[in-house]
Amino acid sequence: MLESVAFSLGPIHVRWYGIILGTAALIGLLLAIREGKRFRIVPDFFMDLLLIGVPSAIVGARLYYVAFQWSDYKDNLAEIFMIWHGGIAIYGALIGAIIGTFFYVRAKGYSFLRIADICAPGLIVGQAIGRWGNFMNQEAHGGPVTESFLRNTLHLPNFIVNQMNIEGTFYHPAFLYESVWNLIGLVFLLWLRRRPFLRAGELFFSYFIWYSIGRFFIEGVRTDSLDFTGPTWLASLLNALWSPMRVVFEPGVLTYGGNIRFSQLLALLIVIGMAIVIIVRRKRGYANVRYADPIVSTKAEEKTKVEKDQEIDKGADYDSNRTV
């Protein structure tokens, strides 16, 4: 089994989880900066965006989890702030990051969807890398499997198989499934953003569609899903949609006793919702800006206008002085 602590500096323990998440954020930032240069957006803009987006994501991830597990926290409110005890959700992180960065982007005078398009590949590669932090912590895995399944069916290398042995039981490497899915999604987004038919906002919407499709199926093998008891017809629908996975995988146990996984339901709604948004925006003419079109800040336009007005005023003063 691999050690979760990378190294120690006296009483301070630096864990692989933090190093991996930091690396994921850095690579995502570099991708955004590189694409931003095509649109003449300075790197500092994306660095500031990261400084706002990461804390917003952490807060959103925690609040999302607490909201759906309120019974575990209502009698001990201090536990809400003890995030190191575990309990965050990726969809909450996305919601938090979107809210935080939305206000920053608008304050800088940019269209949120244009900037979100640039950041989409960085988001998905960050998630692909970040999942290896779960691997190091032996968390976010699926249900029990045999060692033979990991070695002979999936043909996984020893270091992954050994790390999936948790207290004598082997588990689905759900982190790996999601990481691979996201890496394929990265290639897809990089290809898609150079297509001439792509409109502003659609790369960001496509990111959500791709990620949510994978999350729907991968979530089904996990044993730590947030769940609730919902209508039988809805649970049957979700199970029917997931049923092709049964060819290779068995569904994970619903730990909290419900019959519907929050993340699966949300993933399905996102796929449907984003597809509708793309179609409606095109039908009604809202998607008239292409991805490749220039990105201009309204703040920059206002600044240019002010500078021109100042130049006109200076010119008028100069002419007035000459006349006198």
Side-chain angles (χ1 to χ4, degrees):
M1 188 180 72
L2 300 175
E3 289 289 338
S4 62
V5 176
F7 59 90
S8 299
L9 298 172
I12 301 175
H13 301 296
V14 179
R15 299 183 178 276
W16 281 112
Y17 185 82
I19 293 174
I20 291 171
L21 289 186
T23 302
L26 179 60
I27 293 177
L29 173 64
L30 292 176
L31 278 179
I33 288 175
R34 182 174 181 179
E35 183 69 0
K37 288 179 179 178
R38 290 187 66 236
F39 298 96
R40 305 191 177 205
I41 301 176
V42 297
D44 285 351
F45 171 80
F46 293 102
M47 294 175 69
D48 292 340
L49 194 67
L50 181 66
L51 293 176
I52 292 172
V54 170
S56 300
I58 293 173
V59 172
R62 184 59 168 175
L63 290 178
Y64 183 100
Y65 185 88
V66 170
F68 288 111
Q69 288 296 112
W70 179 242
S71 60
D72 294 340
Y73 296 94
K74 64 180 181 180
D75 297 325
N76 186 10
L77 298 181
E79 184 68 21
I80 294 175
F81 303 97
M82 299 178 185
I83 195 170
W84 55 89
H85 290 172
I88 57 175
I90 185 62
Y91 276 123
L94 291 173
I95 293 170
I98 288 172
I99 293 174
T101 57
F102 174 83
F103 290 105
Y104 173 75
V105 168
R106 294 303 298 270
K108 291 295 183 179
Y110 289 110
S111 163
F112 173 75
L113 286 180
R114 299 303 308 276
I115 301 301
D117 277 343
I118 293 176
C119 294
L123 282 173
I124 203 165
V125 75
Q127 289 172 294
I129 296 170
R131 278 303 179 191
W132 286 86
N134 298 133
F135 166 70
M136 295 302 300
N137 282 355
Q138 294 185 310
E139 61 189 9
H141 53 72
V145 294
T146 63
E147 182 178 0
S148 175
F149 175 81
L150 299 178
R151 294 189 185 279
N152 302 327
T153 302
L154 300 184
H155 302 287
L156 298 179
N158 284 335
F159 79 96
I160 292 180
V161 175
N162 294 339
Q163 191 72 354
M164 288 296 97
N165 182 354
I166 304 173
E167 297 181 353
T169 302
F170 290 91
Y171 291 91
H172 271 297
F175 85 93
L176 179 63
Y177 307 152
E178 188 167 324
S179 182
V180 171
W181 177 259
N182 288 339
L183 286 175
I184 297 172
L186 172 64
V187 175
F188 169 68
L189 293 181
L190 293 178
W191 171 85
L192 182 63
R193 74 181 183 184
R194 296 293 181 261
R195 300 308 99 195
F197 59 78
L198 190 68
R199 306 298 173 86
E202 292 180 352
L203 194 70
F204 184 55
F205 301 146
S206 298
Y207 152 74
F208 267 107
I209 290 174
W210 182 275
Y211 175 74
S212 296
I213 290 173
R215 187 58 188 267
F216 177 86
F217 289 104
I218 295 167
E219 189 72 18
V221 305
R222 290 178 57 170
T223 58
D224 59 349
S225 301
L226 295 173
D227 59 55
F228 69 101
T229 301
T232 303
W233 67 267
L234 181 57
S236 298
L237 173 63
L238 295 177
N239 289 333
L241 291 174
W242 195 85
S243 60
M245 294 284 286
R246 291 180 180 273
V247 174
V248 178
F249 304 103
E250 286 296 321
V253 175
L254 290 164
T255 304
Y256 300 102
N259 62 347
I260 295 175
R261 301 172 191 267
F262 280 115
S263 287
Q264 275 193 321
L265 178 59
L266 183 56
L268 180 61
L269 293 176
I270 287 175
V271 171
I272 296 172
M274 292 295 100
I276 291 174
V277 167
I278 291 174
I279 294 171
V280 170
R281 290 179 80 244
R282 291 225 174 193
K283 290 286 186 181
R284 297 192 176 183
Y286 299 146
N288 53 357
V289 178
R290 296 184 182 275
Y291 175 87
D293 289 347
I295 299 177
V296 180
S297 168
T298 57
K299 300 293 183 181
E301 291 177 344
E302 291 173 4
K303 182 178 179 180
T304 302
K305 184 178 182 301
V306 170
E307 291 173 345
K308 287 182 178 179
D309 290 342
Q310 290 174 344
E311 290 176 359
I312 292 173
D313 291 341
K314 288 179 180 179
D317 291 341
Y318 176 73
D319 291 339
S320 177
N321 292 333
R322 287 189 60 188
T323 301
V324 172

